[in-house]
Amino acid sequence: MDTTARRGSDPTSRAGGVAGPGGTGASPAGTDPAVSTVGGETAQTLDRGLRLLHLVADAPGGLTVTEAANRLGIGRAAVYRLVGPLTGHGMLRRDPEGRLRLGAGVLHLARRAQPLLAEGALPALRRLAEQAGATAHLTVVEGGEGVALAVVEPSWTSFHVAYRTGARHPLERGAAGQAILAGRSGAAGPVSTAGELQPGAYGVAAPVLGVPGLEASVGVVALAPLDVTTVGAQVTAAAEAIATALR
C-alpha cells in the first residue's frame, strides 16, 4: 500500500477527527483523507507509467495496448490514460501498426545521464588502466551498437592504444560488445578477443550487471596479448565496482 494512503488512515481521522470547541469534527493537519487519496492515486499512476516504460523497453517488437494491459494487470482504458501523457512527453510512440514503442524523449534523458555514468565509472577505470597497463573503457549500448562512453589511458606505459570516446562498433565484434551480449544471459566472466576491431589489438572485457536499465561492459585494449587470467580478474573487479557505484 502507498505510504501516503497509510498516513490517511490515522485512527483520529477515521473517527471524524478531533472535536473542536463547538463539537465539530476536524481532521488534524496533514491527515485530510481527500489529500491522502489523491496522493496515493498519483503515486500509483506514476508507478504504472514507469512500469509501462520498462515493459515497452524490454519488448523489441513493441507492445499492443492489450498486451500492456495484461502484463500490468489493469484495463485497456487505464493503459490509454497512461499512454497519452507519455506520448505527449516523447517517452512513448505508436508505430504504424499501433504498437507501443519507446520515443525519442527516452534518448534525450539517456544522453543527459551519460555524463553521470562516465563520472561514476572513472575511479574504477583509472585503477584498471594502471593495473593492466592498458587503455580502459566503459562501453554502453546505444541504438543496438556498443559506444565507448568513458576511456582512461595508463600513465606509465611507453605505448598504448588510443581509443576514442564515442567510438561505435557492432556488439558481435570486439570484447566489449561480446561481454555485453554474454551479460544478457547472466554470464559475468571476462571475454577476450584479438584483432576484431583493429588489427594487432587485444581486448578483455566483462559485463556490468545489476544496474537497472543499463547494458554496459568494462574492458581494456592493448597492443600485445593480455594474460586473460590476471587481466580478466582485474576487469571483472572493475565491472563490479562500477555496478556498485551506479546503483
Side-chain angles (χ1 to χ4, degrees), residues 59-219:
L63 290 176
T64 66
V65 170
T66 300
E67 290 170 338
N70 290 338
R71 297 186 189 186
L72 288 171
I74 60 178
R76 286 166 48 89
V79 174
Y80 278 114
R81 288 195 293 272
L82 297 173
V83 169
L86 288 173
T87 301
H89 287 283
M91 299 292 109
L92 289 179
R93 62 182 176 86
R94 304 285 290 274
D95 67 16
E97 287 75 39
R99 301 180 72 83
L100 301 174
R101 295 181 180 272
L102 291 182
V106 174
L107 294 176
H108 176 72
L109 291 180
R111 292 190 186 98
R112 292 296 182 92
Q114 284 182 352
L116 299 177
L117 294 177
E119 182 179 346
L122 283 177
L125 290 179
R126 291 192 186 101
R127 215 163 33 241
L128 177 60
E130 296 301 310
Q131 287 175 337
T135 301
H137 53 84
L138 172 69
T139 297
V140 300
V141 176
E142 185 178 281
E145 294 182 306
V147 180
L149 184 61
V151 176
V152 175
E153 298 177 353
S155 63
W156 56 271
T157 57
S158 299
F159 301 97
H160 53 260
V161 174
Y163 193 40
R164 180 175 57 84
T165 300
R168 292 176 171 268
H169 56 80
L171 294 179
E172 295 77 15
R173 294 178 56 198
Q178 291 182 26
I180 290 172
L181 294 177
R184 289 179 177 176
S185 61
V191 175
S192 63
T193 59
E196 292 196 4
L197 294 179
Q198 180 180 328
Y202 299 82
V204 178
V208 177
L209 302 176
V211 182
L214 177 68
E215 283 193 303
S217 69
V218 176

